[in-house]
Amino acid sequence: MFTTLLAVIAALVLGHLAPSLVAGARDWRWFERWLAWVQARSGGEDSRHGLWLAVLPCVLLVALLQWMLSGRLFGLPALCFGIAILVVCWGPRDLDRDVEAVIDADDPMAATAAAAHLQRAGGSLAEEVPSLVDAVAINALRRWFAPLFWFLLLGPLGAVLYRLLAQVTQGATREVLAGAARDGGDIALKLLEWPVAQLMTLAMALAGNFDTVLSAWRRAGGNRASLSSGFLAEAARASVGAELVEEAERVSLEGLLPPDERFPELRDAMSLIWRMLLLWLMVLALLIITGWVG
């Protein structure tokens, strides 16, 4: 758990201090070429198992390194390896930088281009989503919280497994996959994302308006047995809408002029995501402290 906390901090800091270096490390085109090679030799467009034949060797290699480094030199090699893996699997682009690009755009055309980039950035989304709030919530799931969750649960191999599946099934490479392989990848990705989306919604409720988020979660079917994570975007829209209404009422009562912003919902959505991440890290830190005390 201590490794996870350090790795998240390193991923955030390096993403801001050395964006070009991190962007090079997060270039997954090598895996797309490897996938194409494996699929061509396992049946081409009719290959049902090409995706897993490409993913599993990479995951097993990481698992082997994870096992070999475990317990050596007081855990320092395993710590460095874990930090490196999560830094690479975080992203592939920094969500907060993409959001800032939309908010800070100088003209409407630049804002539109930045918004489109946020909605379809780096294999995070298969297609454009209805709103910027949806884009922030879904990108937060796929860029930050899902790699973090599976890293915490399985170590580096969990983060690599999730990132490879997300990159392939939600990126441009999706179109070159055989239909059966694509369907299998979609199901696997939904299985990996569903528990993360549920925990994100809980954190959203605790960090925002609990009743509003709970109502939206139920309305979107989050309490039903389904692999769909659509309740996350619904809860995010409801929470951001409630916060904007509360802010407008506060400004009106204080007799102030409302702030002149092009994307107030985007600012609030990103603020909510930061609070959710902080809440996750606080829980993680408490678990670490409890383990040390115990």
Side-chain angles (χ1 to χ4, degrees), residues 3 6-8 10-11 14 78-88 151 156:
T3 302
L6 283 181
V8 172
L14 287 175
L79 173 64
C80 295
F81 180 64
I83 291 175
I85 288 293
L86 189 57
V87 168
V88 171
F151 182 89

Side-chain angles (χ1 to χ4, degrees), residues 154-172:
L154 300 176
L157 74 91
V160 169
L161 173 63
Y162 175 79
R163 177 51 59 212
L164 293 179
L165 283 175
Q167 283 298 113
V168 173
T169 60
Q170 297 298 312

Side-chain angles (χ1 to χ4, degrees), residues 102-142:
V102 180
I103 296 175
D104 297 338
D106 295 330
D107 56 78
M109 289 186 62
T112 301
H117 192 62
L118 169 65
Q119 290 173 306
R120 302 185 59 134
S124 296
L125 299 172
E127 57 187 15
E128 291 187 2
V129 289
S131 75
L132 291 176
V133 175
D134 292 56
V136 172
I138 296 172
N139 273 283
L141 167 67
R142 291 184 174 152

Side-chain angles (χ1 to χ4, degrees), residues 37-57:
W37 185 87
V38 170
Q39 184 168 262
R41 282 153 182 80
S42 60
E45 294 182 358
D46 297 326
S47 173
R48 293 176 173 269
H49 310 294
L51 173 62
W52 294 108
L53 289 174
V55 168
L56 290 180

Side-chain angles (χ1 to χ4, degrees), residues 187-205:
I187 294 173
L189 190 66
K190 288 178 180 179
L191 285 170
L192 293 179
E193 289 182 345
W194 187 84
V196 186
Q198 292 284 3
L199 291 175
M200 286 179 65
T201 306
L202 175 60
M204 189 183 300

